[in-house]
Each structure stands twice: as structure tokens, then as C-alpha cells.
Amino acid sequence: MKAVRYHGFGGSEVLRYEDIERPAPGTGQVLVRVAATSFNPVDDHIRAGVLAEMIPVALPHVPGIDLAGTVAELGAEVTGLEVGDRVVAMLPLNATGASAEYVLAPAESLVAAPRTIELVDAAALPLTGLSAWQTLFELAELKPGQTVLVNGAGGAVGGLAVQLAVDAGAQVTAAAGPRHAERLRSYGAARVVGHLDLAEGPAAVGGPFHVLLNLVRVTPDELARLSRYVADGGVAASTAGPIPEEPARSVRAANLFVRSDAAQLAELVARVDDGRLRIHVAARRPAIESSAVHEDAAAGRLPGKTVLIAP
């Protein structure tokens, strides 16, 4: 079968499109015919080797943490699934990924794919959706009526976080570039502001807030300044580096390390199907262009969430 993989860490040029052996499912595993995966920034970091200690992968490695596809074969002791089922999953971060014709997935990670969108677009949901869910509801413990600032709301995680927070009864301020403003308003954001000017401080954007959700990679000094946007007794939750706590103001901080969770993913799928959660796919490209996609991401040229259609 065809797959994208790399034999050593490095830049986007290490990605190769090549023939590899089709795997066979073992006990508790499912062989999935891949419809699509998607690009996530962590794919770039793993490929570059900067996360080798935190997320050790065996080389050669096939990237692609997100999975949308169709069940092709069941391993021993797998129940509740049938050949032909449409499924989605977030694969283990250190596992062989879905940038291939077929991939093995732990049966317990798979859930039924959304019925109301194209299967390839469903590949944009797992990692980003779980990141948004876990940051808002596990780390920040979001409650109805709270005010929330989503910094980096224009990105894939940010757009989902805005929708989830609005649906939970929060009043959301979305900080993002102007090209995202109309979409974020359509998601229910009460206020859409541009990129944060940390010199102006929280009052300029209607803060401070009960919850700050930071999705933007900034310097340690800028992370420290972000804590000013959190009201006394509030929480700063981040996917992009730790924000210092302020015990004197009872400001709590938490940093996300996303994990696969089938129950949460199933809830996200249900919200897609009932129209409460919209997935924004900015580009659909063939997996053979993976090297170019990684290069475009590094250069800031990706238009947004990009799905990679399987060979």
C-alpha cells in the first residue's frame, strides 16, 4: 500500500511517499481503510524530533494522528464494529499514523463518524475537538454564565472552542485576525476582537475574564502577561505553553496534553450531527502533498485546517 513516512527526523523534506506493507490487525485492533487524516502542528513537531523524549516514535514513522475511514478488517476480540462502518478516531500520539491507505487503530478509540458531513472532512474533528473539549471542560471547568476569552479563536481548535463555550452558556470574546471575524460571529461569539495587544491590557477587550483559553504560541514573557486577562479567582487554560498562576489573586493555570477519549469524541460527533458544532475545513489536499503541506505550515501559508486525503 502507499503511505507517507519519514526515516529520520528533520524538515519537511524528510517526508516520502512510498510503498509499505499493509498491516494486519491483532487482538483488539481494527484495520481501517483511510479516507483522510489532517495536519496538526504537533505533526510538525514530532517530525522535527523536538518531541522525541515526550512522544517517542519508531522510525520509519507514518504521521497522521487524526483518522476518518471505513472498517476493513477486525482483529480478534473486537466487538461492536462491523466491516464497512464509517469511523473516526484520534490515534495514539506515538502510534503509526493515518497518512496511508490503511492504518491499525485500537478498537476502543473508534467511534461512528458524523453522518451529516463528508467523511474526509470528519478527519478535521478528533484532535482539535478533543483539545477544545478537554481545555474548556476539564482544565477550565467552564460553567454557564462565565465570561471566556479565546485567544487564537480563528484556528481549528479555537473555532470549535468558541462554539462549545457558547453552547455551554458562556459569554465568549474571540481574539483572532479580521478574516475570521464573520465566521466567529456566526458561531455565537458575543465579541470579536483582533489579535491581542498585550500593551493595552484586558480592559481594551472587555476583560478581565473568568476563563482565558490561550491557543497562541508566544514568548514566556508574553505568557506571563496573559495572566492579567484573568479575573480574580479565574483560570488560564493553555494549549501553547504554561501561563503562570497568581496565587495572590487565586488565579489558577493549567496546560493541556491532549489525549484520545472515545466518549468525548462521540459527544462531539453527536453535536456535529445535530447542528450544534460546525467543522471549518479550509483546504483539502492529497496525502502525496504532505511535504508541501508541512512546508506551507512552517512558512505560515496554510489557510487553516487542512485535511489530507488518503492515497
Side-chain angles (χ1 to χ4, degrees), residues 195-250:
H195 298 299
L196 294 185
D197 184 340
L198 297 180
E200 293 183 343
V205 292
F209 302 87
H210 295 116
V211 173
L212 165 66
L213 174 53
N214 178 57
L215 308 170
V216 180
R217 291 209 168 272
V218 294
T219 67
D221 176 66
E222 289 169 324
L223 282 171
R225 295 166 73 185
L226 280 172
S227 65
R228 297 184 300 157
Y229 288 78
V230 184
D232 293 359
V235 57
S238 178
T239 67
I243 296 172
E245 294 188 331
E246 291 191 30
R249 296 199 298 118
S250 299

Side-chain angles (χ1 to χ4, degrees), residues 9-306:
F9 299 120
S12 59
E13 73 281 352
V14 302
L15 290 163
R16 302 180 186 177
Y17 187 68
E18 57 192 16
D19 290 302
I20 67 172
E21 186 176 350
R22 172 174 158 171
T27 300
Q29 292 182 317
V30 176
L31 182 69
V32 179
R33 175 63 170 98
V34 179
T37 183
S38 80
F39 174 82
N40 291 291
V42 70
D43 295 315
D44 176 87
H45 304 331
I46 295 172
R47 187 216 66 238
V50 298
L51 297 179
E53 291 188 6
M54 183 182 299
I55 307 174
V57 298
L59 297 173
H61 179 67
V62 178
I65 296 162
D66 288 319
L67 168 64
T70 306
V71 172
E73 188 179 344
L74 302 175
E77 300 180 13
V78 174
T79 59
L81 291 167
E82 295 182 2
V83 172
D85 285 350
R86 289 161 36 109
V87 293
V88 291
M90 176 184 158
L91 298 173
L93 293 173
N94 63 345
T96 298
S99 292
E101 289 184 79
Y102 293 87
V103 67
L104 293 177
E108 65 272 14
S109 71
L110 295 168
V111 303
R115 304 181 309 274
T116 55
I117 61 173
E118 296 291 334
L119 185 56
V120 294
D121 288 349
L125 177 64
L127 187 145
T128 54
L130 290 169
S131 294
W133 184 279
Q134 291 167 18
T135 306
L136 283 172
F137 301 123
E138 293 185 354
L139 300 188
E141 300 177 351
L142 181 68
K143 298 174 179 62
Q146 289 187 319
T147 55
V148 179
L149 172 62
V150 180
N151 186 33
V157 176
L160 295 175
V162 168
Q163 296 176 75
L164 291 171
V166 169
D167 191 66
Q171 182 177 4
V172 179
T173 295
R179 66 189 176 97
H180 302 293
E182 182 177 352
R183 177 167 58 88
L184 293 168
R185 290 191 187 96
S186 77
Y187 292 162
R191 184 174 187 177
V192 180
V193 300
H195 298 299
L196 294 185
D197 184 340
L198 297 180
E200 293 183 343
V205 292
F209 302 87
H210 295 116
V211 173
L212 165 66
L213 174 53
N214 178 57
L215 308 170
V216 180
R217 291 209 168 272
V218 294
T219 67
D221 176 66
E222 289 169 324
L223 282 171
R225 295 166 73 185
L226 280 172
S227 65
R228 297 184 300 157
Y229 288 78
V230 184
D232 293 359
V235 57
S238 178
T239 67
I243 296 172
E245 294 188 331
E246 291 191 30
R249 296 199 298 118
S250 299
V251 170
R252 182 171 61 85
N255 197 50
L256 179 72
F257 191 86
V258 66
R259 71 182 191 283
S260 181
D261 187 302
Q264 292 175 359
L265 183 54
E267 175 62 27
L268 291 163
V269 167
R271 292 181 184 220
V272 171
D273 280 339
D274 67 16
R276 295 162 64 194
L277 189 64
R278 284 185 277 163
I279 299 173
H280 178 67
V281 176
R284 301 167 185 85
R285 295 171 68 172
I288 195 172
E289 295 182 10
S290 292
S291 180
V293 169
H294 280 235
E295 183 178 349
D296 288 346
R301 294 192 297 262
L302 278 190
K305 188 62 174 176
T306 298

